[in-house]
Amino acid sequence: MKALLKALDSEIASVATLYLNTAMRRGELMKLLWADVDLPGASLTVRSPKNGRDRVVPLSDDALRILRKRRHQWKNEQTADSTDLRVYGSRADIAKAVRGSWHVLNSERRDVLQPVHSFRDTAITQLAAAGVPLAVVQELAGHASIEMTRRYAEVSPKAMRDAVTRVFG
């Protein structure tokens, strides 16, 4: 992911970082309104997600920095004739740029997963690998069931070895 982020244009990399830091779906970020972003409270609310239950997502320092910068850009883009209340709108659809970068990097993942959804997969996997309880990961990801979260929470052989070593020595 680090190599992929470096290969992306800075604006696309910022959107990708938001996906990685929020585990949001593409449609969720595309529909996100400024009214649902609480910069002082460092959170955002995902409205009408796939499972039908709104959720609040805490923002990392990186996500907060990106959204503050985007807010400044957004204000400069508004005109008297046109105001788009979405944070990114169609700009959140970075699939084409990500596919192009994957091709340049010769990454095998480009054939396995949808480009933007792989950021969500990575976020969920990283949360689980860091020891975040699956119930918390489930809420952050907006999954209706813990079974769905388990599908995303890949367990590596190293994580299993580390767990055994930590508990049994």
Side-chain angles (χ1 to χ4, degrees):
M1 276 299 164
K2 287 179 184 178
L4 177 60
L5 289 172
K6 285 182 181 181
L8 294 169
D9 167 85
S10 64
E11 186 174 329
I12 302 296
S14 291
V15 174
T17 301
L18 274 179
Y19 282 119
L20 279 168
N21 283 237
T22 63
M24 291 176 72
R25 296 174 180 93
R26 181 180 61 91
E28 293 171 346
L29 188 53
M30 288 179 73
K31 293 187 311 184
L32 183 66
L33 301 175
W34 281 113
D36 295 322
V37 177
D38 179 5
L39 293 175
S43 67
L44 60 83
T45 302
V46 177
R47 306 265 182 217
S48 303
K50 190 174 176 180
N51 73 2
R53 293 188 334 244
D54 293 355
R55 72 182 185 279
V56 175
V57 177
L59 297 172
S60 68
D61 291 342
D62 283 344
L64 196 54
R65 178 186 46 77
I66 289 165
L67 286 171
R68 283 184 177 136
K69 181 178 177 183
R70 176 66 191 129
R71 178 71 178 189
H72 180 73
Q73 292 169 334
W74 175 85
K75 284 180 179 179
N76 291 334
E77 293 167 359
Q78 303 314 301
T79 65
D81 298 331
S82 173
T83 299
D84 187 352
L85 301 177
R86 296 173 298 170
V87 176
Y88 282 99
S90 62
R91 292 179 184 186
D93 188 358
I94 60 172
K96 185 176 180 180
V98 172
R99 267 194 297 274
S101 292
W102 265 341
H103 182 69
V104 169
L105 294 171
N106 291 320
S107 172
E108 295 175 16
R109 288 191 67 143
R110 74 178 187 276
D111 298 324
V112 178
L113 298 169
Q114 300 170 15
V116 174
H117 204 71
S118 64
F119 294 116
R120 177 173 164 79
D121 293 350
T122 300
I124 295 167
T125 300
Q126 287 179 336
L127 288 165
V132 176
L134 285 185
V136 174
V137 176
Q138 176 188 357
E139 289 298 318
L140 288 170
H143 289 147
S145 70
I146 199 77
E147 289 78 21
M148 180 57 75
T149 306
R150 285 189 179 137
R151 288 186 202 169
Y152 287 88
E154 301 167 8
V155 179
S156 71
K158 181 185 180 319
M160 290 189 293
R161 175 155 309 284
D162 290 348
V164 169
T165 302
R166 187 172 56 242
V167 174
F168 303 108

